[in-house]
Amino acid sequence: MLGRFPALAGADLEVESGEVVLLSGPNGAGKTTLLRLCAGLLALRAGEAEVLGVNLAVEPRRVRRAVALVGHETFCYDDLTVAENVRFVARSTGHRAADADDALERVGLQRVANIAHGRLSQGQRRRLSLANALVRNPRLLLLDEPHAGLDEHGRAVLEEIVRSAPAEDRTVMLASHELELARRLATREVRIVAGQVHAVPPPAPAGAAVVAGFEPRA
């Protein structure tokens, strides 16, 4: 199972509280691996990693209640309604049914709350995944290709959630190939290539002089 994920070879990354960090890079570079490691879903085989003060080499499961990962799968029950799925997550993580209702309203799914998950569109399923993450009130929100499958309304919902994260004492890491959309949300970008992390300099201000072959020092 672990062999399906590329190795992170000497990856070195520090993320401050309240940051929105974009992980860019080619397919198979290790972006999803990094997100799953931070979520405590993959074992740390070498090196050191600490998430929210938790040593992932010692107790990776401890971090899971404070972290939410939104990936390609919703992990919802098809025969349960939208509301039932979110309330199930709420109960299992020590939150109230009212918290589930608030999360549904925030992602704009209250009108389909009584519809079974199996009948939802792809975009609605993606927003339901966001609701399941928000109801956990995570300190670290991990998003893997979050724009995929979302229509214009869904992307607006996603943008509001990410932009509001710092004010809600929440840190965000997102991996995306839709860089034009993702860069609008990120406070910083790092590029992952062959399992290694490379800093991406911020774009030059409009009208700034650019000298070919040189980059300004930070």
Side-chain angles (χ1 to χ4, degrees):
M1 183 69 176
L2 296 180
R4 294 175 54 194
F5 300 96
L8 292 170
D12 187 3
L13 176 63
E14 290 188 12
V15 177
E16 297 293 332
S17 177
E19 278 196 288
V20 178
V21 177
L22 166 62
L23 308 177
S24 61
N27 286 332
K31 300 186 299 297
T32 296
T33 298
L34 180 56
L35 293 180
R36 290 176 64 86
L37 278 170
C38 290
L41 299 177
L42 286 182
L44 184 68
R45 294 181 171 179
E48 299 177 353
E50 184 177 288
V51 174
L52 302 175
V54 177
N55 186 338
L56 295 185
V58 177
E59 45 187 353
R61 293 189 177 185
R62 184 181 154 202
V63 80
R64 293 180 186 175
R65 281 190 174 268
V67 177
L69 171 64
V70 178
H72 302 283
E73 300 292 335
T74 65
F75 298 105
C76 291
Y77 296 96
D78 276 348
D79 55 344
L80 295 184
T81 67
V82 168
E84 288 169 341
N85 269 292
V86 183
R87 288 171 183 169
F88 175 80
V89 174
R91 287 196 303 271
S92 63
T93 56
H95 295 86
R96 305 168 302 160
D99 297 322
D101 296 339
D102 290 342
L104 284 179
E105 183 174 1
R106 187 167 183 184
V107 301
L109 289 181
Q110 65 271 36
R111 292 186 178 182
V112 295
N114 295 320
I115 302 298
H117 172 263
R119 296 175 55 193
L120 298 181
S121 68
Q122 182 182 6
Q124 289 171 328
R125 293 185 185 205
R126 296 289 288 182
R127 281 191 278 155
L128 179 56
S129 293
L130 285 170
N132 282 338
L134 291 175
V135 78
R136 299 164 58 93
N137 192 27
R139 292 176 57 195
L140 175 62
L141 178 61
L142 307 171
L143 304 173
D144 196 0
E145 298 295 341
H147 294 96
L150 291 179
D151 58 14
E152 185 175 351
H153 175 62
R155 291 182 175 189
V157 167
L158 172 67
E159 184 169 320
E160 184 277 327
I161 290 170
V162 175
R163 291 192 185 280
S164 299
E168 297 171 349
D169 195 26
R170 183 172 296 132
T171 303
V172 179
M173 292 174 61
L174 64 152
S176 179
H177 287 101
E178 300 191 55
L179 297 181
E180 183 177 350
L181 294 171
R183 282 173 177 151
R184 295 199 319 231
L185 303 175
T187 57
R188 179 161 63 103
E189 178 181 351
V190 297
R191 184 169 175 81
I192 300 181
V193 180
Q196 294 187 325
V197 176
H198 303 271
V200 176
V210 177
V211 179
F214 294 88
E215 295 179 354
R217 292 184 180 274

